[in-house]
Amino acid sequence: MLLRLYLPALLILLAACTSTKPKQRMDELSQQITTTLGAQEGTFAVAFKDLQTGKELLLSAQESFHAASTMKTPVLIEAYKQASEGRFSLSDSILIHNEFKSIVDGSLYSISPEDDSEQELYTLIGQKRPVSELLYKMIIQSSNLATNLIIEELDAKQVTLTMRELGAQAIQVLRGVEDKKAYERGLNNTTTAYDLMLLFEQIAAGKAVSPEASQEMVRILLDQRHREIIPARLPEGVKVAHKTG
């Protein structure tokens, strides 16, 4: 698992992390990655774990970053958790709207369709769509509008509490997307590479909510349409369940 502020060199990093030399020592791999990162601009953190051997490679893994769209995976987990608790059904419908309350003062703000990677949902304002569809758009198309609609239902504080229960001590989900007043006051969603690694490990192990929920989340993550970053430099046929930000 990897988190960094600027994405282009991500391809090189993951190509290194998925080396075709299975016996390559972790310290050699660490040096290879460090050298690669040293030639790039930006601030980097790496958290990699081999789920078969348990071996980890951690580089600045506890450094906190603006979470950007990586926070949508914690939101996905929380949605499945609350559904499992009977708070709602994934088949329930939510009214599509584009007005949200700032966490600073409760004033209303809207999301700009031009700044969103998914626009179809904006044409459905005033209609209702299932929670499952919104979660799918939130992940595979990184829909900001879908994200805010879901967070509004879940409560961002509950997302953070669940992250603590899963062992992710640094992930902080405070708000939805494009709350500019909150951004100006430094009230941002944050994460570390290490915490994201923990979350994906929990999902892979079937421990995020339940084995069934984890399997369903993997299926959604596998359908990711933004594949020009993480999967792009991996060998043909490699399945990648991921979420960039």
Side-chain angles (χ1 to χ4, degrees), residues 17-190:
C17 286
T18 54
S19 171
T20 56
K21 300 176 181 179
K23 294 182 180 180
Q24 185 178 25
R25 293 169 58 187
M26 279 293 182
D27 57 346
E28 294 174 347
L29 180 57
S30 177
Q31 183 57 52
Q32 187 179 30
I33 293 174
T34 300
T35 300
T36 300
L37 292 180
Q40 309 296 321
E41 292 185 6
T43 303
F44 302 84
V46 180
F48 169 78
K49 184 170 186 176
D50 186 323
L51 297 183
Q52 292 184 325
T53 66
K55 291 183 177 180
E56 296 180 347
L57 191 158
L58 307 173
L59 298 172
S60 302
Q62 300 289 358
E63 182 171 348
S64 182
F65 289 82
H66 190 299
S69 287
T70 63
M71 53 79 74
K72 294 170 184 177
T73 300
V75 173
L76 179 69
I77 293 172
E78 178 62 20
Y80 272 87
K81 180 176 183 286
Q82 292 194 21
S84 74
E85 295 169 343
R87 298 189 186 187
F88 56 81
S89 169
L90 295 177
S91 61
D92 289 348
S93 292
I94 292 178
L95 180 67
I96 307 302
H97 60 272
N98 190 12
E99 281 193 335
F100 305 96
K101 292 182 179 180
S102 170
I103 63 171
V104 173
D105 57 9
S107 59
L108 296 178
Y109 71 93
S110 298
I111 297 176
S112 169
E114 292 76 20
D115 294 330
D116 203 337
S117 56
E118 192 279 333
Q119 282 86 38
E120 181 186 7
L121 205 54
Y122 294 87
T123 68
L124 303 177
I125 289 175
Q127 301 181 38
K128 291 185 175 182
R129 308 306 300 173
V131 172
S132 58
E133 180 180 325
L134 296 178
L135 290 173
Y136 193 65
K137 287 180 178 294
M138 178 182 74
I139 297 298
I140 74 160
Q141 294 174 279
S142 206
S143 169
N144 290 337
L145 182 55
T147 301
N148 280 22
L149 291 167
I150 293 294
I151 288 179
E152 191 174 62
E153 293 294 316
L154 302 179
D155 184 354
K157 293 179 181 178
Q158 292 302 315
V159 180
T160 298
L161 287 174
T162 294
M163 295 303 99
R164 300 296 177 268
E165 293 172 3
L166 290 174
Q169 299 303 314
I171 286 179
Q172 188 81 12
V173 179
L174 296 176
R175 59 174 175 82
V177 183
E178 290 196 23
D179 184 344
K180 294 182 180 179
K181 286 186 177 180
Y183 177 80
E184 290 168 356
R185 298 198 182 191
L187 299 173
N188 298 313
N189 303 318
T190 58

